[in-house]
Amino acid sequence: MEKMRLNKYLASCGVCSRRDADKLIESGDVLVNGERAQAGMKVASGDRIEVRGKRVSLPEEKVVLAYYKPVGVVCSERDAHAGRLVTKEIGYHRRVTYAGRLDKDSEGLLLLTDDGSLIDAMMRGRNRHEKEYIVKSERAWEDGAIEHMREGVYLEELGQTTRPCEIERLGEKTLKMVLTQGLNRQIRRMCETQGYRVKSLKRTRVINIGLERLKPGEYREVTGKEREELYRLCGMYDRK
């Protein structure tokens, strides 16, 4: 293992998020080779890392999950006001984190992993990774509105103009949209600029991973060539 920032190491071990790791380090709950850890320090493969007296280490094999998030499940690890949290709903035996949120009212594919480097690669906007959605509105779509969204629209609430995107009409009220960015509630906001309200929104693909035959609440492990292709498209070597 090359030297790694301690907060990233703890997150990769499945202890907690990087932000929470920083808090653990600051509170003195982390020891490196018997000494109190310092913020920003890096660790190597031979170092002994302890959190509150318990030794932690990187899992030998990383996992990637494809999960069908149902409507009503919240993408958060902690939210006192949320009744259903994604990490509790999935109930996986190892700590995994989602890469790219879906809002509470949306459903579909969510990728989760314990590989922090993969999450970082997937979340970099400049990589322009594709995400595919099926969008149903309350009224029939006009060609002009679709073309405006294809070209990119200005979202006043966010102060940004969306990138050009692919849009295919599947029915009078149904569109397939392929985006290469992930602004907050982007599709709903894009539709609102054209005077349309989204009735339902489902994500069906992230990069090369599809929803396949998953039903709401189900998940599957991403393995084999599908997994290798995901890492390749993210510019990474699959460490498994």
Side-chain angles (χ1 to χ4, degrees):
M1 178 186 96
E2 295 182 0
K3 282 200 170 185
M4 180 187 299
R5 288 180 67 91
L6 180 56
N7 61 352
K8 180 179 179 180
Y9 181 91
L10 294 177
S12 297
C13 290
V15 173
C16 57
S17 67
R18 291 193 194 185
R19 182 173 61 181
D20 286 341
D22 286 331
K23 294 178 181 178
L24 284 174
I25 295 167
E26 291 174 4
S27 65
D29 290 322
V30 182
L31 300 181
V32 177
N33 300 323
E35 301 291 335
R36 178 171 173 169
Q38 302 298 317
M41 72 181 300
K42 293 185 177 182
V43 295
S45 56
D47 291 328
R48 181 184 179 90
I49 317 299
E50 296 175 85
V51 178
R52 292 172 178 163
K54 182 179 179 180
R55 186 171 184 177
V56 298
S57 58
L58 294 172
E60 294 181 3
E61 192 171 308
K62 300 294 183 181
V63 66
V64 181
L65 305 179
Y67 169 61
Y68 190 145
K69 186 195 87 67
V71 171
V73 173
V74 177
C75 286
S76 175
E77 297 184 37
R78 295 179 303 201
D79 188 335
H81 304 290
R84 301 172 66 188
L85 299 178
V86 63
T87 49
K88 291 184 178 180
E89 288 285 321
I90 196 169
Y92 197 65
H93 65 275
R94 281 159 60 176
R95 182 183 181 276
V96 289
T97 305
Y98 47 85
R101 295 171 180 265
L102 275 175
D103 64 57
K104 181 180 179 180
D105 298 325
S106 300
E107 63 181 307
L109 181 62
L110 194 67
L111 295 186
L112 300 100
T113 179
D114 56 357
D115 189 340
S117 297
L118 178 61
I119 291 176
D120 289 343
M122 291 175 61
M123 296 297 290
R124 290 191 196 109
R126 65 176 181 272
N127 289 340
R128 297 176 180 260
H129 294 312
E130 289 186 350
K131 287 165 284 188
E132 182 179 288
Y133 302 82
I134 302 299
V135 184
K136 295 184 179 181
S137 63
E138 294 186 331
R139 61 188 179 92
W141 280 94
E142 297 178 1
D143 291 339
I146 295 174
E147 189 57 35
H148 284 154
M149 293 198 300
R150 280 196 186 111
E151 295 173 353
V153 293
Y154 181 70
L155 305 181
E156 186 174 355
E157 304 96 325
L158 304 181
Q160 295 189 56
T161 298
T162 62
R163 291 174 182 163
C165 65
E166 298 178 21
I167 303 179
E168 177 184 346
R169 185 193 290 273
L170 300 181
E172 283 192 347
K173 301 178 182 180
T174 307
L175 305 176
K176 179 171 76 173
M177 301 179 64
V178 180
L179 307 185
T180 58
Q181 65 185 141
L183 302 177
N184 180 252
R185 297 177 68 86
Q186 180 173 343
I187 289 178
R188 296 180 188 275
R189 294 180 191 275
M190 289 173 67
C191 293
E192 287 170 3
T193 66
Q194 305 305 304
Y196 288 81
R197 184 175 181 274
V198 172
K199 185 177 181 180
S200 68
L201 191 156
K202 179 195 292 187
R203 185 157 67 195
T204 56
R205 178 172 62 87
V206 176
I207 311 179
N208 68 308
I209 310 299
L211 198 56
E212 307 300 339
R213 298 181 181 180
L214 289 175
K215 297 177 182 178
E218 293 182 342
Y219 70 87
R220 64 183 176 88
E221 292 191 3
V222 177
T223 59
K225 292 184 179 180
E226 185 183 36
R227 174 186 169 120
E228 292 174 6
E229 180 70 358
L230 173 64
Y231 273 80
R232 186 189 69 80
L233 292 171
C234 289
M236 297 179 61
Y237 171 70
D238 186 355
R239 295 174 293 171
K240 297 183 179 179

